[in-house]
Amino acid sequence: MASDTRDVVVDAAKFAVPRATVSAAGDQSAPGAAIDTQTIGQVTVQDPVMTARQVSVHYGAKKAIADVNIDIGRNSVIAFIGPSGCGKSTFLRCLNRMNDTIAAARVSGTITLDGKDIYDRSEDVVQLRARVGMVFQHPNPFPKSIFENIAYGPRIHGLAPTRADLDEIVQTSLRKAGLWDEVKDRLDQPGTGLSGGQQQRLCIARAIAVDPEVILMDEPCSALDPVATARVEDLIDELRQNYAIVIVTHNMQQAARVSQRTAYFHLGNVIEVGSTNQMFTNPRHKLTEDYITGRFG
Amino acid sequence: MQNLSVIIAILGLSAMSYWLGRRRSIAVVGGLRSAAQLHSLPGYYGVLTGLWCAVPALLLLAVWHVVGQHHILDVVMSHLSGDYLTASAGQRRLLMDEVLRLAHGGAALGDVRPDVRAAAQEWIRLDALSRTAGGLVALSVSLIGASVAWSRISPTLRARNGVEWVVKLALVLCSLIAILTTVGIILSVLYEALRFFHLVPIFKFLLGTSWSPQLATRADQVGSSGAFGAVPLFAGTALIALIAMLVAVPIGLLSAIYLSEYADRRVRTVAKPLLELLAGIPTVVYGFFAVLTVGPLLRGVGQALGVAVSAESALAAGLVMGIMIVPFVSSLADDMLTAVPLGLRNGAYALGATKSETIRRVVLPAALPGIVGGVLLAVSRAIGETMIVVMAAGLTAKLTANPLEAVTTVTVQIVSLLVGDSEFDSPKTLSAFALGLVLFFATLVLNIIALRIVRRYSEQYK
Ligand SMILES: Nc1ncnc2c1ncn2[C@@H]1O[C@H](COP(=O)(O)OP(=O)(O)OP(=O)(O)O)[C@@H](O)[C@H]1O
Ligand SMILES: [Mg+2]
């Protein structure tokens, strides 16, 4: 269990990285030596909701990620950071088997959810995706009303036997996503008519509506302005009470603000995993340090 | 000097001025290497010079010709003996035609008045004079235009903007031609249709239920009443179009869904061109197919079931027409489906929707406006289709909802009304234009509705 308190995270956010301070810690790989792709840091957590062991993904003949080992803890936020193209999205898509929709992708290794292998033959991918929800980089509300956007998931999974149940789910999901007050008078309006930030919170509400255990977010704020970003970040912090959240971000401050653990991806490998506090104040791997201090990527 | 040779000469001059203008533009900045100092590329200066050489001269030539012909005729006619001036408009017209006919070398009809003959001679003389003068003036305008443009070439001359303006003008003219042609066609159809409605009241035409356009050629002929009630034709058209859409929409839409959502790449690369091949088959060939294969087949099936199916039936024509329209519906629907953003599909999959749930609840609704538009376009095609129905549906104008009987359509009747010799002012021939007008309005309304639907949905969803 990631037990970092909110205070510690804020400390990390305040931390303006002076290079001299951290460079002393970055003695893991000597200059010129082959990159050490062994993951260092705290890969495992107690009572993880999801675990990934030796996960590799190929797109055709091309290897996108190799031997990724990582645990996703309950009721906490883990951030995936790393330079573009290093495989963060690819790994994220493994966690709810969205890679199945990409014809060229081949996944190997073991990923479990509550101890059960999600790539097992007996596992129903439809059920899995209800339990592991996803929010995308670009808000993608359906071209339907706000109400229907939220109701879609509960309907197809039969979560709402009566109309009253459905109304209830829609309302609670919108409340949890902090959107209720803004849209309660226009639930029948198209979801695509909302602002970008509202649309993204609508997508989060849509994911919450099927009552998942884990929510995956792939750069959820990259299309949003700072104000909308701050709202989504606050929301993520609240959602942590009930869900495990995995967030991919290119924004170091954001990773520091919202996450308790951080994983640094580099060219398809997880280089370092650890508490966000430690990763940002005292990275153990040279590559992590270079990336976090902005020297690389 | 003939106008044609003048035109060719002007075009030749224009080509030359292109070359000269281009060369000068390079020369004024001192060689190709410093061409960057020019406001525009050298070619633009050339084009501008060429245009100044050709366009004013050609316009002038055209105006000269039209005005000249008018004027010459006036002058010539005023030389005729005094009775011309006092003659009625009709007689003047006749005399004018006579003069022109003689002048163009036509044979004289009977006795020709000497003053008319003289006028024709005069016309020939003046015409030649006018052509020569016009040609010379046009050529000089061409030379003047070219040299003025040529002398104005300087590094600061905005040749590119000038050419741009001319290009824009040319584009406007071309679209004007297209629009005016459409308007012209509509007006001519409207004009003939109105003549028809003088002979047959419009209500009888639109609401009458009996159609037999054969007019009595002899007084004692039977069955040639000349009834122009078009309802059976509208009903036949609607029936066949309905059958066609019942075939085309499900097959087209479902095959589009299969091809765009389910088929793997190898199937798609083979199946899609094959499907689109259907659109390339000439409609006459579909007609054969309907008459020789589908018709007898339906008949056989009918006999086996104990149902009377006529040799020519709405069903056969509709079925085959539906097959013909399948590629329209499917390729349009396919485009619309593939245009649905991947993000929407991923959004649905990520909520745990199955493939068919995603398609039914997310992809299809998002693609619907385009699909509806495509279907309505297909309907207007079905209504306008002629060849298949001519061959397979028959000519009997029967008001029936039974698809197993022979019916006829608006287009078939238009064809049969205009085939063969007939005077252009009998109601039989004119009724074709009235039918054409109705057809035009029907497709127009369909297209407007299609556009409205598309717009309403896209406002809601974009
Ligand atoms: N659908 C695909 N087909 C083929 N190759 C892919 C596909 N998606 C990703 N890749 C490749 O896999 C590698 C990892 O891509 P991925 O999208 O996971 O990177 P990322 O870390 O999310 O990058 P970014 O930060 O830019 O989003 C890249 O080299 C990419 O080109
Ligand atoms: Mg990515």
Side-chain angles (χ1 to χ4, degrees):
Chain A
M1 178 91 61
S3 53
D4 292 301
T5 63
R6 179 80 175 133
D7 301 336
V8 180
V9 175
V10 172
D11 277 343
K14 280 192 220 141
F15 184 66
V17 188
R19 269 178 201 179
T21 327
V22 283
S23 61
D27 53 2
Q28 280 293 323
S29 61
I35 294 168
D36 182 7
T37 58
Q38 201 63 49
T39 306
I40 60 171
Q42 207 68 45
V43 167
T44 57
V45 298
Q46 263 177 21
D47 185 27
V49 58
M50 297 191 82
T51 66
R53 292 292 175 268
Q54 298 299 115
V55 174
S56 301
V57 178
H58 290 81
Y59 290 111
K62 183 168 165 273
K63 194 169 214 167
I65 57 172
D67 302 331
V68 171
N69 296 298
I70 212 163
D71 282 3
I72 314 287
R74 289 178 199 278
N75 298 359
S76 77
V77 180
I78 180 167
F80 291 173
I81 60 173
S84 199
C86 64
K88 307 177 295 291
S89 301
T90 299
F91 179 66
L92 199 70
R93 285 197 301 265
C94 293
L95 296 177
N96 67 345
R97 290 184 56 178
M98 280 298 278
N99 278 329
D100 292 12
T101 63
I102 300 172
R106 271 188 301 117
V107 181
S108 61
T110 320
I111 299 179
T112 66
L113 173 63
D114 292 329
K116 278 187 65 188
D117 185 358
I118 63 170
Y119 280 88
D120 191 75
R121 231 167 242 277
S122 64
E123 187 65 37
D124 178 9
V125 65
V126 166
Q127 286 306 315
L128 169 73
R129 289 186 191 144
R131 292 168 67 196
V132 184
M134 191 163 197
V135 176
F136 296 83
Q137 178 170 8
H138 291 279
N140 56 352
F142 301 133
K144 297 170 183 285
S145 70
I146 293 171
F147 184 92
E148 288 299 323
N149 261 282
I150 312 288
Y152 181 77
R155 277 222 183 95
I156 58 177
H157 293 293
L159 298 181
T162 68
R163 174 74 193 195
D165 293 337
L166 197 60
D167 286 344
E168 167 88 36
I169 291 178
V170 170
Q171 194 182 136
T172 31
S173 310
L174 284 171
R175 274 192 200 286
K176 280 188 194 163
L179 196 59
W180 175 252
D181 291 330
E182 288 158 68
V183 302
K184 61 170 184 266
D185 299 324
R186 46 170 175 157
L187 292 177
D188 55 344
Q189 308 265 311
T192 43
L194 297 173
S195 76
Q198 289 172 327
Q199 287 188 16
Q200 195 61 298
R201 279 180 283 144
L202 180 68
C203 292
I204 294 174
R206 186 173 75 184
I208 296 171
V210 291
D211 198 22
E213 295 167 50
V214 182
I215 303 176
L216 311 175
M217 301 186 176
D218 195 349
E219 300 181 41
C221 301
S222 65
L224 305 185
D225 69 86
V227 177
T229 300
R231 295 216 52 174
V232 172
E233 285 179 6
D234 288 346
L235 174 59
I236 292 172
D237 201 56
E238 279 164 34
L239 293 176
R240 178 160 70 91
Q241 313 303 325
N242 300 307
Y243 310 96
I245 293 171
V246 185
I247 179 171
V248 173
T249 177
H250 279 288
N251 182 332
M252 293 305 109
Q253 281 76 32
Q254 182 171 68
R257 280 192 297 264
V258 301
S259 72
Q260 285 73 53
R261 289 172 75 226
T262 299
Y264 174 64
F265 282 66
H266 186 93
L267 293 178
N269 297 295
V270 177
I271 298 296
E272 183 170 351
V273 193
S275 81
T276 301
N277 194 14
Q278 172 259 311
M279 290 274 283
F280 279 84
T281 52
N282 192 16
R284 290 165 57 191
H285 200 291
K286 179 83 169 72
L287 288 169
T288 318
E289 180 202 330
D290 285 353
Y291 183 73
I292 288 175
T293 54
R295 222 172 292 161
F296 171 70
Chain B
M1 203 184 305
Q2 283 306 309
N3 283 337
L4 185 63
S5 31
V6 175
I7 292 173
I8 291 174
I10 290 176
L11 291 180
L13 282 177
S14 164
M16 221 154 73
S17 9
Y18 166 80
W19 181 73
L20 286 172
R22 191 174 180 280
R23 230 178 53 150
R24 177 167 162 92
S25 73
I26 297 170
V28 289
V29 288
L32 201 55
R33 209 164 297 162
S34 37
Q37 292 168 18
L38 289 169
H39 172 272
S40 318
L41 292 174
Y44 280 111
Y45 292 93
V47 171
L48 199 64
T49 320
L51 285 171
W52 271 109
C53 172
V55 176
L58 290 176
L59 282 179
L60 182 106
L61 192 64
V63 172
W64 185 288
H65 181 74
V66 173
V67 173
Q69 295 280 308
H70 234 312
H71 192 65
I72 291 170
L73 201 60
D74 277 352
V75 170
V76 166
M77 298 310 282
S78 66
H79 289 327
L80 287 182
S81 48
D83 64 335
Y84 174 77
L85 298 172
T86 57
S88 73
Q91 277 167 323
R92 284 181 183 217
R93 185 80 233 159
L94 274 177
L95 277 169
M96 260 186 218
D97 285 348
E98 177 82 4
V99 168
L100 283 178
R101 209 165 43 77
L102 280 173
H104 285 104
L109 303 169
D111 297 334
V112 179
R113 279 168 34 185
D115 59 339
V116 169
R117 195 176 285 282
Q121 297 296 331
E122 179 71 0
W123 190 91
I124 293 173
R125 198 178 64 78
L126 287 178
D127 184 54
L129 197 67
S130 155
R131 279 170 197 263
T132 311
L136 288 178
V137 171
L139 281 177
S140 20
V141 166
S142 159
L143 288 175
I144 291 170
S147 42
V148 167
W150 184 82
S151 63
R152 280 185 55 212
I153 290 176
S154 71
T156 53
L157 178 68
R158 301 185 178 179
R160 204 163 143 203
N161 308 23
V163 172
E164 190 65 32
W165 188 82
V166 174
V167 167
K168 194 175 111 188
L169 196 70
L171 296 179
V172 169
L173 282 180
C174 286
S175 35
L176 259 184
I177 288 175
I179 293 170
L180 288 182
T181 314
T182 318
V183 171
I185 291 174
I186 295 171
L187 285 183
S188 72
V189 171
L190 192 65
Y191 176 73
E192 303 291 345
L194 285 179
R195 279 176 66 195
F196 172 74
F197 291 136
H198 272 299
L199 300 171
V200 177
I202 185 164
F203 291 111
K204 272 199 177 158
F205 171 72
L206 287 178
L207 303 174
T209 54
S210 149
W211 178 265
S212 64
Q214 276 65 39
L215 292 173
T217 44
R218 298 189 312 273
D220 58 337
Q221 210 172 14
V222 277
S224 297
S225 47
F228 290 99
V231 169
L233 309 189
F234 301 152
T237 308
L239 181 64
I240 290 182
L242 180 72
I243 296 171
M245 296 324 288
L246 286 180
V247 174
V249 170
I251 295 183
L253 194 54
L254 295 180
S255 61
I257 290 176
Y258 170 72
L259 284 179
S260 71
E261 306 288 329
Y262 287 94
D264 68 39
R265 184 126 34 95
R266 262 170 309 149
V267 177
R268 199 178 146 85
T269 47
V270 177
K272 216 178 168 219
L274 274 182
L275 193 64
E276 270 154 19
L277 206 65
L278 278 181
I281 299 177
T283 53
V284 185
V285 177
Y286 279 110
F288 292 151
F289 179 57
V291 175
L292 300 178
T293 314
V294 178
L297 191 76
L298 288 177
R299 195 157 204 192
V301 172
Q303 264 164 2
L305 296 174
V307 189
V309 181
S310 66
E312 294 173 321
S313 68
L315 189 59
L319 286 179
V320 174
M321 194 194 283
I323 298 292
M324 181 193 81
I325 294 173
V326 163
F328 285 87
V329 177
S330 83
S331 81
L332 255 163
D334 188 54
D335 289 347
M336 295 301 151
L337 290 173
T338 33
V340 173
L342 190 63
L344 281 186
R345 295 162 208 270
N346 282 341
Y349 288 137
L351 284 175
T354 63
K355 192 151 196 168
S356 76
E357 280 165 347
T358 304
I359 292 168
R360 266 186 297 128
R361 302 279 197 80
V362 175
V363 179
L364 268 185
L368 196 66
I371 292 175
V372 170
V375 167
L376 286 185
L377 284 182
V379 172
S380 47
R381 215 190 128 88
I383 291 178
E385 169 54 34
T386 317
M387 216 55 222
I388 295 176
V389 271
V390 166
M391 296 172 80
L395 293 170
T396 333
K398 197 186 291 177
L399 185 56
T400 174
N402 180 359
L404 305 177
E405 288 187 61
V407 296
T408 191
T409 69
V410 174
T411 50
V412 170
Q413 285 305 310
I414 292 179
V415 170
S416 69
L417 289 169
L418 294 180
V419 166
D421 295 335
S422 41
E423 317 115 71
F424 241 69
D425 47 6
S426 81
K428 181 184 170 204
T429 322
L430 289 177
S431 68
F433 291 96
L435 289 176
L437 192 67
V438 171
L439 203 59
F440 170 76
F441 271 110
T443 35
L444 184 72
V445 167
L446 273 178
N447 288 352
I448 290 175
I449 294 175
L451 285 179
R452 288 212 145 184
I453 292 177
V454 170
R455 200 171 309 145
R456 210 178 60 213
Y457 275 89
S458 39
E459 264 168 20
Q460 199 170 336
Y461 289 151
K462 273 291 158 228

